Amino acid sequence: MSDAPRIITVALVGNPNCGKTTLFNKLADTNATVGNYPRVTVELQEKHFEHNGWRICLVDLPGIYSLTSKSPDEQISREFLREEQADVLLNILDAANLERSLFLTTQLLELGQSTVFAFNMIDEAKKQGISLALDDLSSMLGGPAIQTAAVKGKGLDLLLDAVIAQAQIPHEEIVTTPISYDTHLESSVVKIQDMVHKLYPDTLDHHQTRWLAIKLMEGDDALQGYDNDYSHIIEMVRRERYDLERSHGDSCETMFAHARFGFIHGLLSEVRTVSIDPLKHFELTSKIDSLLLHRLLGLPLFLLIMWTMFKATFSLGNIPAGWIEHGVEWITDHISALMSKGLLHDLLIDGIFAGMGAVVVFLPYILILFFFIALFSETGYLARSSFLLDRMMHTFGLHGKAFIPLVMGFGCNVPAVMASRTIESPKARLIAILINPFMSCAQRLPAFILFSGAFFAEYAGQAIFSMYMISIVTAMGAAVILSRFVIRGGTESFVMELPPYRVPSIDSILFHMWEKAYDFVRMVGGVIVIGSILIWFLQAFPQEIDYSQDYQQAITRIEAQSESAQRNESLTNLRTQQELERMSKSYLGQAGQAISPIFAPLGFDWKDTVAIVSGFFAKEVVVASYAVLYTNNADESGNASEGLRNALSQAMTPVTAFAMMVFLLLYAPCLSTVAAIKRETKSWGWAGFSILFSLSIAYLLAFAVVTVGHWII
Ligand code: GDP
Ligand code: MG
């Protein structure tokens, strides 16, 4: 072997929610999304780093409960493991939940690969009075057993040392403990294993053939993807399974599971001592849940918590937002004073600065909102909110996992759409994907805050809250419509996991907030700048405009009059009128006017139309478009954000504004989400359907708001 550091590929394998991603981040110091929420990771993530002169390539596999499973993300993990791409498997177990964690381990052992076992959440386990005999565990499992507390960074160095030591052991010397099955199962397995061996005498070793035989007997189409003709094996498996089930009265899967749990039970009685009653630990969680998941109180409490969250987001955010507003204004004024008047000045000040300034003001709100979302996720409440929504859907006869990724959509629809991969039933998965765009992502928040601030003053918090409620209710309604009328197939019921409540770690909450702040600033520097420049150009050209009257002459005439309040007012009026005419004859004005008849029944004008169209590319551009479109009004009041709010409140009635908010909330997913939908459904058809479906719902609801609103007022 050469002196150059070898590369070790290490795959993290474990159940959902056992701390894989936390460990991954701590080991490699990276920024993958972590949450106390089953199944957050759906794609393979990979990071490289060095330890003691060795290069380690760490792969975070999606969480799985078993290697016999069917959902797409579980298949990713399984294929990765089967292809033996890793030098060392790092099996992460939840030390506080070993019965469940070890079920996967029993199947990993059968792979016969070099494995290190991390008993994570040891802090949690200790609280429950659990202690583990690590040396015994190591020898029984056939690989180093290390205890870790990933969130606290404990045991990580030992773990890496163990991984490196394990990687240096030659493959032939790896001894993993076989699970022993009863004689009937075992004889069938051996029979099948022989057949597989005959089919691949040279390419597959003993472990691989045995593993395939066991999987086949467990009812898994494990040979799929192998190129030889294996139909005779399948036939034999069918016969063996039939005979076993006849003679034992149990399904084959159950027999294997019993054997595995027998192994686990035996192992744990040897290596685990519990000094506290295990149910005690769940006592507190159960107590809290008896309130938060209460049949009658659960939902009102959820609403109350949400309401408090949005109220707090709005009122707390106002203060730092004011500072940023002044800062932006100060910078803009100074730069504006330094530059000579002209197109470049206008592009920079009225285009880029107006657009960026209008959006950057919302950073504090986003941070506060994400503080709450991270708090809910970390404590375990986010999982409860999905549970509540799911339970409510049972009233409509809808069972399903469709609601698991729903609440994630409050952050951004793209990862939420991707997370639907964990859903096995194709129908539930499709519903989950199609209703997700109705969940109000954080990028829509700035527009809501702008409109609420401009039109609903002291009720702004309530107005924003109502958007989120409409968002949830629409998503649920859409689920009912889709499952009744559009998508075929049944949905199976399932058990939704409720992780125990945990005291959140400040570390990860700050981390989430930092991540969001970073995304936000990047977005302001990217999408917003491009959007603002584009909109500015389109509204500034053509420069030669055929005005309906000679404004310049009229202005000169009035200017000649002696100074008076009336003279100043007519001057302002004339200038505004000219500006309006100029804008409406610009390229943007012409395009907006061409489309705006569609929105006329909703009371939206061509400027609203432009904002709507721009939001289709990315929702956060909506506010920037308004800022650029109304930039001249801002000049007069002196304060850009204040000016924008004033201009808006003159351009629209509160009813139209609310209709606009509803429309912005529900219409068409942004381009990235459409792309994600296409990727996940593998169909442009569903992506197109999603756009049309949400556009029609948005239009109908906005129209309802306008109709009812005008009828009331
Ligand atoms: P994954 O689904 O396996 O990737 O799990 P995550 O890394 O997302 O972790 C799930 C939850 O467990 C998060 O709330 C973590 O903060 C928490 N967590 C992870 N490791 C530990 C640990 O060692 N001790 C405790 N108490 N909590 C942990
Ligand atoms: Mg994860």
Side-chain angles (χ1 to χ4, degrees), residues 105-107 109-110 177-181 186 210 214 256 259-260 263:
T105 307
T106 61
Q107 302 179 51
L109 290 176
E110 282 165 349
T177 322
I179 316 287
S180 37
Y181 301 104
E186 194 62 48
R210 180 173 167 86
I214 293 171
F256 276 99
R260 296 187 190 287
F263 173 91

Side-chain angles (χ1 to χ4, degrees), residues 10-70:
V10 181
L12 294 179
V13 203
N15 291 349
N17 227 29
C18 66
K20 280 187 312 306
T21 306
T22 311
L23 197 73
F24 178 75
N25 287 341
K26 288 276 176 175
L27 288 176
D29 225 8
T30 61
N31 315 353
T33 310
V34 189
N36 179 12
Y37 196 73
R39 307 186 173 114
V40 169
T41 316
V42 286
E43 288 202 311
L44 291 192
Q45 300 209 33
E46 199 179 283
K47 288 285 164 184
H48 301 248
F49 62 97
E50 295 214 3
H51 182 77
N52 289 348
W54 292 74
R55 281 203 69 70
I56 296 185
C57 165
L58 203 57
V59 184
D60 186 15
L61 295 177
I64 47 175
Y65 290 113
S66 139
L67 292 179
T68 323
S69 35
K70 300 272 153 35

Side-chain angles (χ1 to χ4, degrees), residues 388-398 403 476 479-480:
L388 286 170
L389 296 185
D390 177 62
R391 193 168 65 190
M392 203 161 104
M393 290 317 285
H394 290 193
T395 342
F396 300 101
L398 255 187
F403 293 92
M476 295 188 143
V480 175

Side-chain angles (χ1 to χ4, degrees), residues 675-696:
I677 294 176
K678 151 77 182 46
R679 257 201 324 273
E680 294 304 319
T681 58
K682 301 192 177 63
S683 137
W684 279 113
W686 283 119
F689 173 83
S690 168
I691 297 174
L692 287 182
F693 183 55
S694 46
L695 262 180
S696 353

